[in-house]
Amino acid sequence: MQYRLKRYLAYIGITVIVSLLPFIQINQNQIFLLSFDHKELHLFGSVFSTQELYVMPFLLIILFVGIFFITTLLGRFWCGWGCPQTIFRVIFRDLIEGKILKLNKITNKQLPQDLSTLQAKIKKCLSIFLITLFCFSASAVLLFYFVPPYDFFSYLLDPANHLVLLGFWIGIGSFFTFDIVVLKENFCIYVCPYSRVQSVLFDDDTRSVIYDEKRGGAIFDTQKEKIPTPLKKRDSDAECIECQKCVRVCPTHIDIRAGMQLECINCLECVDACTSVMGKFNKPSLVQWSSSNAINHKSKIRYWRAKTIGYSLILTLAILMAFFMGEKKDDLLLNITRSGSLYTIHSNQSITNEYTLLVENLTPVKQTLQISINHPEIQILRPQQGITINAHQKRRFVLILKYAGKSLLASKDQSIPITIQISSQQDPSLSIQKSNVFIYPKEK
């Protein structure tokens, strides 16, 4: 099967998975959602509040180290097989303008479009309209990972109160359209920083698109000149027949025979083109998805080496730590702050301390919470009843503790260590406790 068809299948799979994931829920929570509205992170059905984003650093490590690992192992595999910009360009250039409207030739991407006739201009406008619809749909799917789709559509029905969401949707959709229609592959060459990083991550065992110069013959002089220049004379035994098909199918308009270039997005169109030509001579392709060492030494690609093993170990450790920290998440969060005054002495000589408690219920059901103190001589003056908090909600309330004894007032210390515990009446195993102090004055 041609690499082009494999890429198309990969594009379909990625599009289906990315579009459906926001609609799949586990325990009424999203598989992945970074909600700035509710200040929550949903990950595989678990909900993390902004106060417990200790799993986020490990997710970022997995993201960046994963990019380094894939690039060192398979070159710019992401660019050709998973990047949204490449997928959108294939849909616009090859599907809409190529297959459907016949404005392009898929086998020759170097030919400019002929827009001299009215029919061609109408087709061009239609193609821009279709890709605009697609880009705005993709923009909505992207926002589904920050705003749940059900909330997203309800917010759009009330745009006056959700101008920020509307602005992001229009802004992202407009940028996608401008990128696909105007910037085209220039985004990959001049804008995307990933192409600049690849030269640092590549080595002689990195799998990339390589022209076999030993078989095909040198086409460009790359030894003396910084910019490769065509050779005037070539080896008479060279297998390259100068058909130029590998050049014509390249979406970034490069000649892969001049060596590895940052403009190459690893789409493997040139490999398919050369394979079809050399297949007529019963010879393997001169352009292969291989490594420099494998081509030069006629050996297999060496995937496992010091770099890739190191990246694998870091990724494994980060994944294990992310799962470990995720298992430690609490279903109740408690934050305690003291009021402005340290204590209050009442007319009956009793002493009270005030605390402001912020409790967050991360469970999917409503909880009635009961407060308890571990000190026998300190009583809860307020609240007397349990505190009810809805699912995934926060509630702030004042806790007043009272100490009516006199035995501790003669102590040299001015504080009593206490533990404030909050437990659920529905599920006693669901509880959380925090240490604090009860302040009182010295006896005069």
Side-chain angles (χ1 to χ4, degrees):
M1 183 186 293
Q2 290 183 333
Y3 284 118
R4 178 190 295 172
L5 297 179
K6 293 179 181 178
R7 281 176 31 246
Y8 290 169
L9 292 177
Y11 295 164
I12 294 173
I14 291 172
T15 303
V16 171
I17 292 173
V18 171
S19 300
L20 291 181
L21 274 183
F23 294 92
I24 301 176
Q25 295 185 336
I26 301 176
N27 298 328
Q28 298 181 345
N29 299 318
Q30 305 296 123
I31 290 182
F32 179 83
L33 174 71
L34 183 58
S35 174
F36 295 101
D37 188 14
H38 300 288
K39 298 179 177 62
E40 294 176 344
L41 170 66
H42 293 213
L43 192 62
F44 298 109
S46 299
V47 180
F48 298 88
S49 173
T50 52
Q51 299 185 43
E52 50 176 3
L53 285 184
Y54 36 72
V55 74
M56 182 62 74
F58 299 103
L59 297 180
L60 294 176
I61 291 173
I62 293 171
L63 173 63
F64 286 102
V65 176
I67 292 175
F68 297 159
F69 175 70
I70 292 296
T71 306
T72 304
L73 195 68
L74 300 176
R76 292 183 69 177
F77 179 79
W78 162 256
C79 295
W81 294 74
C83 178
Q85 207 271 349
T86 303
I87 298 176
F88 292 175
R89 279 295 298 165
V90 168
I91 293 174
F92 180 60
R93 182 191 62 234
D94 296 347
L95 178 61
I96 297 178
E97 293 194 333
K99 286 288 187 180
I100 299 176
L101 300 178
K102 306 296 182 182
L103 285 172
N104 291 337
K105 284 190 176 181
I106 300 178
T107 57
N108 193 345
K109 297 178 176 61
Q110 311 300 326
L111 285 177
Q113 293 179 346
D114 183 11
L115 301 178
S116 57
T117 63
L118 178 61
Q119 183 181 10
K121 293 178 181 178
I122 294 175
K123 287 183 177 180
K124 183 65 177 180
C125 294
L126 179 60
S127 68
I128 295 176
F129 173 74
L130 293 176
I131 197 61
T132 300
L133 293 179
F134 182 84
C135 287
F136 274 82
S137 300
S139 174
V141 171
L142 174 62
L143 291 175
F144 288 165
Y145 289 90
F146 301 92
V147 179
Y150 311 104
D151 292 341
F152 178 84
F153 292 117
S154 63
Y155 290 169
L156 289 185
L157 296 177
D158 185 20
N161 293 322
H162 300 91
L163 293 177
V164 174
L165 177 65
L166 185 63
F168 269 102
W169 181 47
I170 295 176
I172 295 173
S174 300
F175 174 76
F176 282 172
T177 305
F178 175 78
D179 174 27
I180 304 306
V181 177
V182 181
L183 285 181
K184 304 177 182 178
E185 279 73 21
N186 290 323
F187 179 88
C188 305
I189 301 172
Y190 300 110
V191 180
C192 181
Y194 184 46
S195 62
R196 313 292 170 177
V197 177
Q198 65 166 335
S199 59
V200 180
L201 300 175
F202 277 27
D203 57 35
D204 291 335
D205 289 302
T206 299
R207 191 172 185 180
S208 55
V209 184
I210 298 177
Y211 168 70
D212 191 349
E213 196 172 275
K214 291 183 177 179
R215 287 180 48 216
I219 307 296
F220 291 88
D221 181 8
T222 58
Q223 301 298 323
K224 299 179 181 179
E225 302 289 340
K226 293 182 179 180
I227 301 177
T229 56
L231 290 174
K232 295 181 180 179
K233 294 183 180 180
R234 291 183 56 218
D235 188 355
S236 59
D237 295 330
E239 296 181 18
C240 180
I241 61 173
E242 287 282 0
C243 64
Q244 299 287 318
K245 282 193 174 182
C246 61
V247 180
R248 290 199 293 266
V249 297
C250 180
T252 56
H253 300 186
I254 66 171
D255 191 339
I256 194 61
R257 298 173 300 173
M260 186 59 197
Q261 299 148 71
L262 62 84
E263 292 90 345
C264 177
I265 61 172
N266 210 98
C267 66
L268 305 180
E269 293 274 2
C270 53
V271 178
D272 287 338
C274 191
T275 300
S276 64
V277 173
M278 298 307 294
K280 298 176 182 178
F281 300 96
N282 295 321
K283 294 181 179 181
S285 174
L286 296 173
V287 185
Q288 300 179 27
W289 189 27
S290 184
S291 68
S292 299
N293 283 338
I295 293 290
N296 295 331
H297 301 97
K298 305 298 181 183
S299 61
K300 293 183 178 180
I301 302 173
R302 194 162 65 99
Y303 291 109
W304 296 108
R305 47 197 191 274
K307 278 185 180 180
T308 56
I309 293 174
Y311 288 140
S312 300
L313 293 176
I314 296 174
L315 280 174
T316 302
L317 181 61
I319 292 172
L320 291 177
M321 288 300 297
F323 275 105
F324 175 73
M325 299 302 290
E327 289 295 325
K328 293 185 66 176
K329 72 176 295 295
D330 297 318
D331 290 325
L332 286 177
L333 293 180
L334 173 62
N335 188 28
I336 304 175
T337 56
R338 296 185 60 89
S339 62
S341 60
L342 294 178
Y343 53 82
T344 303
I345 302 177
H346 300 272
S347 57
N348 60 356
Q349 299 304 308
S350 65
I351 301 172
T352 60
N353 281 199
E354 294 185 5
Y355 308 82
T356 301
L357 273 59
L358 177 63
V359 183
E360 185 171 1
N361 174 22
L362 298 178
T363 65
V365 296
K366 182 170 65 174
Q367 300 287 347
T368 301
L369 306 176
Q370 193 69 38
I371 305 174
S372 61
I373 306 297
N374 68 334
H375 200 285
E377 295 183 286
I378 297 179
Q379 304 172 355
I380 299 176
L381 199 62
R382 172 185 168 188
Q384 295 289 338
Q385 304 296 327
I387 302 298
T388 301
I389 305 179
N390 293 326
H392 302 296
Q393 296 293 322
K394 298 178 183 178
R395 184 171 176 183
R396 191 187 306 272
F397 59 93
V398 175
L399 170 66
I400 301 179
L401 301 181
K402 172 187 175 182
Y403 176 73
K406 295 183 179 180
S407 59
L408 290 175
L409 297 183
S411 172
K412 294 181 179 180
D413 297 328
Q414 288 185 271
S415 63
I416 304 172
I418 60 173
T419 299
I420 301 174
Q421 181 171 352
I422 295 181
S423 304
S424 170
Q425 294 182 359
Q426 292 86 351
D427 182 9
S429 63
L430 183 63
S431 66
I432 187 172
Q433 60 183 23
K434 288 289 183 71
S435 298
N436 213 296
V437 292
F438 185 91
I439 306 296
Y440 60 91
K442 284 185 177 180
E443 183 181 28
K444 294 185 181 180

